Amino acid sequence: MESLVLQGALTFTAVGLLFLFVAVVVIWQTVEIVDAYEKEALTVFGEYRKLLEPGFNIIPPFVSRTYPFDMRTQTLDVPRQEAITRDNSPVTADAVVYIKVMDAKKAFLEVDDYKKAVSNLAQTTLRAVLGDMELDDTLNKRQEINAKIRTELDEPTDEWGIRVESVEVREVNPSKEVQQAMEQQTSAERRRRAMILEAQGERRSAVETAEGDKQSDIIRAQGEKQSQILEAQGDAISTVLRAKSAEAMGERAIIERGMESLERIGQGESSTFILPQELTSLVGRYGKQLTGSDIQESEGLEGKEFDDDTRKMLGLDDIDEILGEIDQAAEMDIEQLEQEAEQVKTGESGIKSPDEVIDEADEEIDEEALTESETSPDGGLERETETER
């Protein structure tokens, strides 16, 4: 009896443990926990039912299967591909494709393995894009290659519920022979640029030197021109001053001649003399007045201004005009200054030499004296003088 009771207890315990185990398994199979970055496709007896959202989900036990899909951006490496460019240059290239599952249902139902499918499609597209371009374009236009590959991948991947977010070509390498040729071309181009820069530098240096010489010649010529102008002005002024000095000496010679004439008159026996007005005016400038028959002794000759007749006879007004022209000589160019100076030197400017002034004065005195003596004794200035020594 006791054995039957013990056997029944053991059976009950085993059944209880079995039930508990089955219950745990059922609960385990019924509960599905989905991560926050995933979605899972649920099938029951092989039939698609729905997508399980992140969190706690209840599914039929034992007859259900789930297929997880990562909803984050994923990276696919495109293996290195060999291609022939449009100009028949072999190149190798690899790339990286960034994709994101936008519709897990399509990714589950429309394509077997979306990652493998996108990778294979990217490989063929990369080869096709490189084959449509020339070698230089494949090396320089990376952005264009990326855009073309992405455009080619967008249409088929949209049907799979996949979005290609970006495509980046990592390396494009030509063959070794092409690389060597490119290195030689680059080296030659650098040598050419260096030679051009050197030639440009030498040319610029020559231009700067020539420009400096030009400026120096201009400054030197301006200095020489100014020096010639000043020298010509100095010569003109010096010539005029010498002419004025000579004219003054001529005037003094006239006075001396007049004084000698008076001395000869005084030594004569006649007591009545006819003297020209011009001579008396000249004497009046340097002596005292002749009063009566006596000549008063003067303390010395005083410098006085010539009267109008004397200035006209000696041509002193022309001297003032010449001096006025000299004041304006700074505004004349060098050729005009040289011409004026040459005219003054040759006597063509109207300035009389001392000998000419003396000769003209003597002729005028003789002519006037002769005229006065022939016409009337009262026509001239009569003065009775007695000469006393």
Side-chain angles (χ1 to χ4, degrees), residues 3 20 52 76 148 151 183 203 227 261 267 272 303-304 316 319 329 346 360 362:
S3 61
L20 180 61
L52 300 180
L76 298 180
K148 287 183 177 181
T151 302
E183 290 176 358
R203 184 182 65 179
S227 176
S261 298
Q267 293 176 358
T272 301
K304 295 185 178 180
L316 295 179
I319 299 297
T346 57
E360 290 179 0
D362 290 341

Side-chain angles (χ1 to χ4, degrees), residues 122-258:
Q123 294 176 27
T124 56
T125 305
L126 176 60
R127 289 194 298 268
V129 170
L130 293 177
D132 291 338
M133 302 178 68
E134 295 183 356
L135 177 62
D136 293 339
D137 293 338
T138 60
L139 299 176
N140 299 327
K141 298 181 179 180
R142 295 291 183 89
Q143 295 299 327
E144 183 177 346
I145 297 174
N146 297 337
K148 287 183 177 181
I149 295 176
R150 181 177 177 180
T151 302
E152 294 294 331
L153 293 178
D154 278 340
E155 183 176 355
T157 55
D158 285 343
E159 298 178 0
W160 302 337
I162 308 297
R163 184 179 69 185
V164 178
E165 294 187 342
S166 177
V167 177
E168 296 292 336
V169 176
R170 287 189 292 194
E171 291 184 0
V172 177
N173 297 322
S175 62
K176 293 182 179 180
E177 293 79 7
V178 175
Q179 289 181 1
Q180 293 177 358
M182 292 175 63
E183 290 176 358
Q184 294 176 359
Q185 180 182 1
T186 303
S187 178
E189 182 67 20
R190 290 178 178 176
R191 288 196 299 269
R192 185 182 67 84
R193 291 181 180 179
M195 294 175 65
I196 291 174
L197 292 176
E198 183 178 0
Q200 290 178 348
E202 293 178 354
R203 184 182 65 179
R204 183 165 185 175
S205 176
V207 170
E208 293 292 340
T209 302
E211 186 68 22
D213 294 340
K214 177 182 177 182
Q215 294 294 334
S216 177
D217 293 340
I218 291 174
I219 294 173
R220 187 182 301 107
Q222 290 177 348
E224 292 177 355
K225 177 180 178 181
Q226 188 69 20
S227 176
Q228 291 176 0
I229 291 174
L230 295 176
E231 183 178 357
Q233 291 177 353
D235 292 342
I237 294 172
S238 176
T239 303
V240 173
L241 292 178
R242 285 197 299 270
K244 187 175 181 181
S245 176
E247 190 172 12
M249 291 176 64
E251 179 183 343
R252 186 176 184 85
I254 291 174
I255 301 300
E256 291 178 355
R257 289 285 186 90

Side-chain angles (χ1 to χ4, degrees), residues 178-374:
V178 175
Q179 289 181 1
Q180 293 177 358
M182 292 175 63
E183 290 176 358
Q184 294 176 359
Q185 180 182 1
T186 303
S187 178
E189 182 67 20
R190 290 178 178 176
R191 288 196 299 269
R192 185 182 67 84
R193 291 181 180 179
M195 294 175 65
I196 291 174
L197 292 176
E198 183 178 0
Q200 290 178 348
E202 293 178 354
R203 184 182 65 179
R204 183 165 185 175
S205 176
V207 170
E208 293 292 340
T209 302
E211 186 68 22
D213 294 340
K214 177 182 177 182
Q215 294 294 334
S216 177
D217 293 340
I218 291 174
I219 294 173
R220 187 182 301 107
Q222 290 177 348
E224 292 177 355
K225 177 180 178 181
Q226 188 69 20
S227 176
Q228 291 176 0
I229 291 174
L230 295 176
E231 183 178 357
Q233 291 177 353
D235 292 342
I237 294 172
S238 176
T239 303
V240 173
L241 292 178
R242 285 197 299 270
K244 187 175 181 181
S245 176
E247 190 172 12
M249 291 176 64
E251 179 183 343
R252 186 176 184 85
I254 291 174
I255 301 300
E256 291 178 355
R257 289 285 186 90
M259 297 303 294
E260 291 177 359
S261 298
L262 291 176
E263 184 178 358
R264 289 195 301 270
I265 291 172
Q267 293 176 358
E269 297 178 356
S270 177
S271 61
T272 301
F273 306 99
I274 298 174
L275 299 176
Q277 178 67 30
E278 287 77 7
L279 182 58
T280 59
S281 61
L282 289 175
V283 174
R285 292 183 57 191
Y286 295 94
K288 300 294 184 177
Q289 295 179 354
L290 297 176
T291 57
S293 60
D294 294 333
I295 299 178
Q296 297 179 359
E297 295 180 358
S298 61
E299 295 178 357
L301 293 178
E302 296 179 357
K304 295 185 178 180
E305 295 292 335
F306 290 107
D307 55 16
D308 294 338
D309 295 335
T310 306
R311 293 181 63 86
K312 182 177 180 181
M313 180 183 68
L314 297 177
L316 295 179
D317 293 334
D318 296 336
I319 299 297
D320 295 335
E321 294 179 0
I322 294 173
L323 292 177
E325 293 177 358
I326 292 176
D327 293 336
Q328 299 177 355
E331 300 177 359
M332 301 171 61
D333 57 13
I334 185 169
E335 294 181 358
Q336 294 176 346
L337 289 175
E338 291 178 353
Q339 293 176 0
E340 292 291 335
E342 189 66 22
Q343 289 177 1
V344 173
K345 290 180 181 180
T346 57
E348 297 177 359
S349 61
I351 300 177
K352 301 175 182 180
S353 65
D355 294 335
E356 291 176 351
V357 174
I358 294 172
D359 293 339
E360 290 179 0
D362 290 341
E363 291 177 359
E364 290 180 0
I365 292 173
D366 294 340
E367 289 178 358
E368 290 180 2
L370 182 60
T371 302
E372 292 293 334
S373 62
E374 289 179 355

